[in-house]
Amino acid sequence: MSTIRLPEATSPLRSERVAAVLGIALGLTFTTCFMTGLLSHQIQDPPSWFSWPTRPAGLYRVTQGVHVATGLASIPLLLAKLWSVFPKLFVWPPFRGWANGVERIMLLPLVGGAVFMLFTGLANINLWYPWPFNFRRAHYWVAWITIGALVVHIGAKWATTRAALRRPPAPADAAQRADRQDRRQFLAATFGISALVTLFTVGQTVRPLSRLALLAPRRPDVGPQGFPVNRTASAARVVDAAQSDDYRLVVDGNVQQQLSLSLADLEAMPQHEATLPIACVEGWSTSQRWGGVRVRDLLTMAGAPHGSEATVRSLQARRSYRTSELNSSQAADRDTLLALRVNGEPLHLDHGFPLRLIGPNRPGVMQTKWVERLEVR
Amino acid sequence: MSRSEPPTTRGFLVGLVIGTTMIAFGIGGLVSTTSTASAFDVGTWVVGADLAHDLVLAPIAVICSILITRLVPRPWRTPIRSALIASAVFTIIAYPALRGFGRATAPGNPSVQPLDYPTALATAIGAAWAIAAVWLAAIAVRTRRSRPRVRMANADTARPEVEGEDPT
């Protein structure tokens, strides 16, 4: 085996051990991102066997906060790892036997997939879409491809990694000792930079650190009424419909009595308050005190059967996320509200005036704004 | 790099079966839930991501690494290299906000990318260099303190043997 003699191929910073330590770290962070990502995907499109609970109310905020924070923290780890193995790209001959050939071919979906996942994730939290495909589908399916390639890679590198992590031979001389110290400091610096990335971004969901969120695309306390907005009323083209005097909330479907309620009717109903987070899939979150009407009160008033489910519809025309689903436990939860107010004020138009859904343990995209209809099943 | 044995162990075969099944599931899902053209676009971007790293990012990193080795005295290298890596990583992460891409996607939404990102990025990079400066100062102090001992004896044996691993 020979390598093209890149000037850096013999850098003392590169070693099997450095590659192994960074590989293990990335294995953990990518697995964390994959699991939390799968979970978020199931919550948004639940298969029949999957039922997401309403408690703890802030669970999704944690799992999705971890998803985005871990992805961001992986950026320096991935770059350091790729740097540590870069000369191996030029190994000659390219394949030694079929197994080595398979292992090396799998580096394309592994490296391409890993860079793709981190780049598309970073762009998405910034609402930047420089590609011609649907972000969510691409990010989801390429995750399977990337993690599949990672599983192949782990199988292929298991023995190498274990060998590399065994206690290394003592340095023979001062030069080797200095090289080892350089490698340790390189690893320490990589993890340190990863920690700094977290420190400078995680404040978009961890409120006490919000002032340190220098590199995050959101601040949890910036926006109308003191918290962020994803889609504005004008972007959703509901400005007129939401402020119309003809606004009614319709409750229909599998009910004994169809309801059509004006804003005054809704305000005359028993009002309830709940402090619940908006937890965006893009990794920011903010907890607010919401006030309004319980969904379960509306279902009772309409004579819906016990255990009903409901589809919540927005005034928005077209666009994805104009509806969301409430399963039976979500519809029956005491804190699942159609909110009229936040922190005692009427909702800002961009936060869903006149009426928005807010429920415990739901992704932000499923906290439907400008609600006009509750379809009971 | 050490020569590693061809990985035809049982672990390799197990990983190969599970991993290729997941890859096939991912490709199948991509093709079945999007148009062929769209799946092809995604594939192009995955390959493009690999090439962007191998042909652009990695060569830049190699050139920077060579420059650091040539220009920076050895004791200072690690802090300076670390601060440079941190600066690059922070710039990559802030890049979409620096360019205001989110603001362009969501006009009239001041809660998207609300900061003055050139200042915010400079602050983050400044913090990394401040840490590097403290690190460099610590190295300078340590070097000065150890110098008298080095003069008294051979430079190598005078180093503190923290881990007692010296084979002699």
Side-chain angles (χ1 to χ4, degrees), chain A residues 8 13 16 82 96 102-103 112 126-128 141 148 167 170 174 179-180 182 185 189 214 216-218 222 229-230, chain B residues 2 4 7 16 19 33 41-42 46 53 58 65 74 78 81-82 101-102 105 109 111-113 117 120 156 163 165:
Chain A
E8 274 297 290
L13 292 186
E16 297 274 349
L82 291 177
R96 286 170 296 127
V102 169
E103 180 201 329
N126 279 283
L127 308 183
W128 177 34
W141 292 115
R167 193 175 171 77
D179 285 351
R180 188 182 61 174
D182 276 3
Q185 290 183 345
L214 296 169
R218 299 286 195 158
V222 173
V229 165
N230 205 338
Chain B
S2 75
S4 58
L16 186 62
T33 61
D41 285 336
V42 173
V46 171
H53 172 268
S65 177
R74 178 146 193 170
T78 305
R81 178 167 43 220
S82 306
F101 291 135
T105 307
N109 185 349
S111 72
V112 174
Q113 296 168 343
Y117 285 93
D156 272 333
E163 288 156 286
E165 283 177 349

Side-chain angles (χ1 to χ4, degrees), chain B residues 17-135:
Chain B
V17 170
I18 298 173
T20 47
T21 307
M22 291 172 78
I23 292 171
F25 180 68
I27 293 172
L30 194 60
V31 171
S32 66
T33 61
T34 65
S35 66
T36 313
S38 190
F40 185 78
D41 285 336
V42 173
T44 307
W45 273 70
V46 171
V47 175
D50 190 303
L51 295 178
H53 172 268
D54 292 348
L55 302 181
V56 182
L57 269 186
I60 292 172
V62 168
I63 290 167
C64 291
S65 177
I66 294 168
L67 288 178
I68 292 167
T69 311
R70 295 265 164 88
L71 301 177
V72 181
R74 178 146 193 170
W76 301 356
R77 255 178 230 164
T78 305
I80 287 175
R81 178 167 43 220
S82 306
L84 283 171
I85 297 171
S87 307
V89 166
F90 294 168
T91 306
I92 289 171
I93 289 173
Y95 179 75
L98 271 179
R99 298 288 309 274
F101 291 135
R103 292 180 202 178
T105 307
N109 185 349
S111 72
V112 174
Q113 296 168 343
L115 303 182
D116 169 12
Y117 285 93
T119 307
L121 176 62
T123 310
I125 289 177
W129 282 94
I131 295 169
V134 172
W135 192 349

Side-chain angles (χ1 to χ4, degrees), chain A residues 52-55 57 269-276 290-299 308 310 312 324-340 355-362 366-368 371 374:
Chain A
W52 181 239
T54 59
R55 306 289 153 170
M269 286 182 65
Q271 301 292 304
H272 294 275
E273 287 208 331
T275 300
L276 291 174
W290 309 90
V293 179
R294 280 180 179 153
V295 167
R296 74 179 188 196
D297 290 353
L298 287 164
L299 297 185
S308 287
V312 182
S324 67
E325 302 297 322
L326 291 170
N327 66 28
S328 55
S329 63
Q330 290 161 345
D333 193 281
R334 58 191 295 276
D335 284 347
T336 301
L337 306 179
L338 286 176
L340 295 153
L355 196 64
R356 84 168 297 163
L357 175 66
I358 186 81
N361 201 19
R362 288 168 70 77
M366 293 168 67
Q367 310 278 28
T368 305
V371 173
L374 212 53

Side-chain angles (χ1 to χ4, degrees), chain A residues 257-288:
Chain A
Q257 189 199 347
Q258 186 173 320
L259 306 178
S260 175
L261 304 168
S262 69
L263 211 47
D265 295 334
L266 288 163
E267 276 166 2
M269 286 182 65
Q271 301 292 304
H272 294 275
E273 287 208 331
T275 300
L276 291 174
I278 298 251
C280 186
V281 289
E282 275 120 38
W284 58 266
S285 76
T286 173
S287 200
Q288 305 294 334

